[in-house]
Amino acid sequence: LGLCTYASPVERDALETATYRFRLFREQPTSGFARLAQQGLQSAISPNERLQGLFHPWTSYFVVPLFAVANAGIALNGDVLAHAARSPITLGVVLAYVAGKPIGILATSRLVQRASRSRLLPPVGVGGVLGGGASAGIGFTVSLLIATLAFDGAELQDAKIGILGSAVGSALVTWAVFRVIDRLPKRARVRALFGTLEPLEDLMEPVTPGWDHIRGRSDAPVTLVEYGDLECPYCGQAEQAVRDLLSQSHDVRYVWRHLPLRDVHPQAQRAAEATEAAAEQGRFWQMRDLLLARQDALAHEDLVRYAGELGLDVPRFVEDLDRHVGAARIAADVESAAASGVLGTPTFFVNGRRHHGAYDLQALLTAVKEARARLLSVGVEAPAA
């Protein structure tokens, strides 16, 4: 059943349908429209994700603990622990998990690297592989099941104590590995965690100077790409964080790409075209900044008034706006967003890797810091902010 439950990215049409049904409910909050809105939201998510959301609380907080309790079934006291400490079964289980897991995973990683002549490398450093291998010894559910098939009586009790003890021991070893790594010099620490492999990029369309709208040093080692909607209130909220980031980090260049969500922001497409019409006169950033600051006034007459405020050739601006001179450029940005799996705004990429989570100043600073660390791990010097 699990193999038959497919996963798929969210489709734009499904999002637009969900948005339309929610707007119906917003205008008329009846139970019928509430049911339609709920169905629209569920249909936008793949069956795999829906089932994960449905079963996760039951599996994590009920099934797994119940399984562990039902399969452990041992009474811990001094005599039992003393016997287990001398049992070759207990000691063998602990040794296999606490030492065997990290050694086996690290050795296998090295073997694959050698066999492939370094064409296949782990996406993390040796410290990351070792720490991840140590944490692999924490799992106990399947181990308890196998133990019940392999042993019985006192031997089964010794095996179960070894399994539970391994979970504690592996957790301590994992902590110790990363504690040691944390005390290494900066360059060695970065290499141990990130390795030397170039990370895979989520951004399908690379930044192209001369085509993309870029703010900051063109040769900056860290690139922040935002797909944004000029009418989106969240893009307006993120703007201050982006400005603060650029003022504090001089080794970051910022790229704006258009993603007007026309189903929810009716003025977004025209606003984006206004920035491209202003770009024809060398005033892209001035118009973009102004529109983000005045998101509640993006009608045609407002855009024309802003062109006058910025000292543009207004007749030429109006002609370019009416001719939709920027529509093809905006469509290209929307197409590149779809290729990178971007459906909402704002969406950020830091050196080609998608930024997940909050987009306040601290979150963006952390993402930039991690990008610098990855550059350092592959031998690229990134100047300090």
Side-chain angles (χ1 to χ4, degrees):
L1 289 175
L3 291 174
C4 293
T5 306
Y6 67 89
S8 61
V10 180
E11 296 182 357
R12 192 178 184 89
D13 290 343
L15 281 179
E16 292 178 355
T17 299
T19 301
Y20 172 72
R21 292 183 176 183
F22 180 80
R23 291 175 69 179
L24 290 177
F25 171 72
R26 177 66 180 83
E27 294 170 358
Q28 298 184 50
T30 64
S31 59
F33 283 134
R35 190 162 50 251
L36 279 177
Q38 185 178 26
Q39 292 171 354
L41 292 172
Q42 289 180 343
S43 64
I45 305 297
S46 69
N48 186 287
E49 291 181 285
R50 289 204 298 270
L51 287 177
Q52 285 188 56
L54 177 64
F55 291 131
H56 175 74
W58 291 97
T59 57
S60 298
Y61 304 118
F62 179 72
V63 176
V64 172
L66 180 62
F67 179 89
V69 172
N71 281 274
I74 55 177
L76 295 178
N77 55 54
D79 293 338
V80 171
L81 292 177
H83 179 270
R86 299 187 302 271
S87 169
I89 294 177
T90 303
L91 297 177
V93 170
V94 172
L95 183 64
Y97 273 102
V98 177
K101 282 280 191 177
I103 293 173
I105 290 175
L106 181 61
T108 302
S109 171
R110 291 297 186 183
L111 181 63
V112 171
Q113 180 178 341
R114 285 181 174 273
S116 66
R117 297 181 180 180
S118 296
R119 289 193 299 270
L120 294 176
L121 296 173
V124 294
V126 61
V129 174
L130 188 60
S135 68
I138 297 174
F140 58 86
T141 52
V142 176
S143 304
L144 290 172
L145 176 62
I146 298 300
T148 59
L149 299 176
F151 302 105
D152 54 28
E155 292 180 343
L156 177 58
Q157 181 170 266
D158 291 344
K160 290 179 177 180
I161 293 176
I163 292 168
L164 297 179
S166 297
V168 176
S170 295
L172 293 175
V173 171
T174 302
W175 174 85
V177 168
F178 287 109
R179 184 67 173 174
V180 170
I181 293 174
D182 190 54
R183 291 180 176 273
L184 294 175
K186 181 178 180 180
R187 182 177 290 275
R189 181 172 68 251
V190 169
R191 188 174 294 272
L193 290 174
F194 296 106
T196 58
L197 182 66
E198 287 283 356
L200 296 176
E201 294 192 357
D202 304 310
L203 186 66
M204 299 303 295
E205 187 67 34
V207 174
T208 305
W211 168 262
D212 278 301
H213 297 297
I214 301 175
R215 173 174 272 171
R217 287 172 41 200
S218 60
D219 61 341
V222 180
T223 299
L224 176 69
V225 176
E226 177 183 359
Y227 281 95
D229 176 315
L230 292 167
E231 197 178 354
C232 170
Y234 302 107
C235 293
Q237 295 171 15
E239 177 65 11
Q240 187 57 52
V242 171
R243 292 186 180 224
D244 292 342
L245 173 69
L246 295 178
S247 67
Q248 296 184 30
S249 303
H250 302 296
D251 58 346
V252 177
R253 64 174 180 173
Y254 170 68
V255 178
W256 170 272
R257 287 180 175 175
H258 299 287
L259 183 57
L261 306 178
R262 291 177 289 183
D263 55 322
V264 290
H265 300 139
Q267 307 290 349
Q269 176 69 26
R270 178 55 66 93
E273 292 180 10
T275 63
E276 294 301 327
E280 294 293 318
Q281 301 184 44
R283 294 288 191 277
F284 170 81
W285 288 108
Q286 292 87 337
M287 179 63 79
R288 172 219 174 250
D289 295 348
L290 188 59
L291 298 187
L292 278 177
R294 303 180 184 178
Q295 291 181 315
D296 57 343
L298 298 178
H300 180 79
E301 58 271 17
D302 296 316
L303 302 178
V304 175
R305 185 174 72 256
Y306 300 153
E309 292 180 16
L310 295 176
L312 300 179
D313 182 342
V314 175
R316 178 187 172 188
F317 173 84
V318 173
E319 181 182 357
D320 289 342
L321 194 58
D322 291 341
R323 290 173 47 234
H324 304 285
V325 294
R329 162 62 182 271
I330 296 165
D333 281 355
V334 172
E335 184 176 347
S336 73
S340 300
V342 179
L343 296 168
T345 57
T347 296
F348 292 94
F349 293 83
V350 182
N351 274 7
R353 302 187 72 175
R354 184 164 181 164
H355 171 70
H356 297 278
Y359 42 82
D360 55 22
L361 175 61
Q362 190 56 50
L364 293 180
L365 282 172
T366 300
V368 168
K369 181 179 179 181
E370 291 176 353
R372 291 196 195 103
R374 285 192 293 270
L375 290 175
L376 187 62
S377 72
V378 295
V380 178
E381 292 290 345

